[in-house]
Amino acid sequence: MKKHNIALTIVLVNIFIAFLGISLVIPVVPTIMNELHLSGSIVGNMVAAFAFIQLLASPIAGRWVDKFGRKRMIVIGLIIFSFSELLFGIGKTVSVLFISRMLGGVSAAFIMPAVTAFIADITTLHTRSKAMGYMSAAISTGFIIGPGIGGFLAEIHSRLPFFVAAGFALVAAVLSVTLLHEPERNPEHEENSVGQKAGLKRIFAPMYFISFMIILIFSFGLSSFESLFSLFVDHKFGFTPKDIAIAITGGGIIGAFFQVVLFDRLTRRLGEIRLIRYSLILSTILVFVLTIVHQYISVLLVTITVFIGFDLMRPAVTTYLTRIAGKEQGFVAGMNSMFTSIGNVIGPIIGGLLFDIDLDYPFYFATIVLAIGIGLTLAWKEPKSQEAETM
């Protein structure tokens, strides 16, 4: 057990460093946009390019995680991510920036399924929700610290956050190589495995389909919100990189608190499905409210609170999937990443186009999509075999 705790700590440190690197650059996006005279749609397409490549690579990465091992995929993903951030830092043309984001998509497709499967291997059904909460908290904490550091570094030079992000990712890769050991496959996955349709047709199996659709919906809503938030508050309220960093940091702190302190309790009390439903309701309301508030403090409060719903949904769906997936953790983690990517592709593209028409339109559209997700959760039922286990 102690060995597993050490392995979990190392994995969490690595995922924290990776997402710290990702979030470092958030406050400087408007600055880069102004430097290169980019429109909102181009920025949206750039974010979508990341997600589109992640979408294409995720099913393959999911199989490779099962075939070649978790550790190897984590290390390769971190190295690719480091190079992509370095390339963005030196890029002076739109084409170079797009290539950087595409490489970033490959790295995300490698890292996330591998980390999820790694954690599923070293936890039991009873401890997994807490571990997944810790994983989401590590991601959120990276987002907490990253924008603050990025805003400070941007004061020195607008490209410096990208170079620091590349360095952090390289450090995480070295940590993985030297300290991480490939986990043994969890025997519970064999015991809890259920018959599945062959290949990608398993996506449409009743036990999986609605959960994958929920991932698609909340990923769309979150990507629409995150990819355009900095531009939205910059154009509508005149937020500086420091203001943006404060808003995102505050949301990260609250989200991390809920993930570390309350997520396991909420999951045990409500179950994953009801927790996801209530989180969707909260996020839907607050994304809409952001379009009608005007005062600085009101924008900060709404932004900080809206992350609670998103930060609870991600680990809740992941915990649910790892619980029902049996021996095919790599496949399910890959599909999780793939549907996340689909949402991340559609969200920024549609959001960017709508943003150029009216600043509020992306958030109106995200509200509608999230509301559809609420309706889906009403039809979402536990697989019968899993209901028996959890009773």
Side-chain angles (χ1 to χ4, degrees), residues 184-210:
E184 296 180 3
R185 302 299 165 93
N186 195 326
E188 286 186 353
H189 299 164
E190 297 288 342
E191 297 168 7
N192 291 287
S193 180
V194 293
Q196 305 290 339
K197 298 178 181 179
L200 295 180
K201 291 181 180 179
R202 284 170 296 175
I203 292 171
F204 300 100
M207 64 184 294
Y208 286 148
F209 184 68
I210 292 183

Side-chain angles (χ1 to χ4, degrees), residues 237-249:
F237 304 111
F239 273 32
T240 65
K242 182 180 178 181
D243 295 326
I244 296 169
I246 291 172
I248 295 174
T249 300

Side-chain angles (χ1 to χ4, degrees), residues 22 54 71 92 95 100 114 162 186 234 283 293 314 343 363 379:
I22 292 173
Q54 184 182 4
K71 174 181 175 177
K92 299 295 184 181
S95 59
S100 166
F162 299 98
N186 195 326
D234 172 68
S283 298
V293 294
R314 182 187 293 111
F363 300 95

Side-chain angles (χ1 to χ4, degrees), residues 248-263:
I248 295 174
T249 300
I253 291 172
I254 298 298
F257 172 80
F258 271 79
Q259 288 165 340
V260 172
V261 178
L262 298 177
F263 174 71

Side-chain angles (χ1 to χ4, degrees), residues 77-259:
L78 287 169
I79 293 172
I80 295 174
F81 174 69
S82 178
F83 179 71
S84 74
E85 291 299 304
L86 176 63
L87 191 62
F88 203 101
I90 63 176
K92 299 295 184 181
T93 64
V94 173
S95 59
V96 172
L97 300 186
F98 267 91
I99 292 172
S100 166
R101 294 302 84 197
M102 292 164 72
L103 288 173
V106 173
S107 71
F110 281 27
I111 294 170
M112 289 308 299
V115 168
T116 304
F118 192 107
I119 293 175
D121 281 336
I122 64 174
T123 56
T124 66
L125 291 175
H126 296 292
T127 61
R128 191 162 302 148
S129 63
K130 182 177 290 186
M132 291 300 174
Y134 287 160
M135 182 184 80
S136 290
I139 293 171
S140 298
T141 306
F143 273 103
I144 291 170
I145 300 174
I149 298 175
F152 173 77
L153 294 173
E155 296 293 326
I156 301 172
H157 193 281
S158 61
R159 301 300 179 110
L160 185 57
F162 299 98
F163 299 132
V164 174
F168 279 154
L170 196 58
V171 168
V174 172
L175 284 175
S176 296
V177 170
T178 56
L179 300 177
L180 207 59
H181 300 285
E182 181 68 20
E184 296 180 3
R185 302 299 165 93
N186 195 326
E188 286 186 353
H189 299 164
E190 297 288 342
E191 297 168 7
N192 291 287
S193 180
V194 293
Q196 305 290 339
K197 298 178 181 179
L200 295 180
K201 291 181 180 179
R202 284 170 296 175
I203 292 171
F204 300 100
M207 64 184 294
Y208 286 148
F209 184 68
I210 292 183
S211 57
F212 289 150
M213 292 302 99
I214 294 296
I215 292 169
L216 171 62
I217 285 169
F218 87 71
S219 297
F220 174 92
L222 181 58
S223 66
S224 297
F225 181 84
E226 287 187 333
S227 64
L228 294 166
F229 171 75
S230 59
L231 302 182
F232 176 77
V233 294
D234 172 68
H235 285 56
K236 189 169 183 177
F237 304 111
F239 273 32
T240 65
K242 182 180 178 181
D243 295 326
I244 296 169
I246 291 172
I248 295 174
T249 300
I253 291 172
I254 298 298
F257 172 80
F258 271 79
Q259 288 165 340

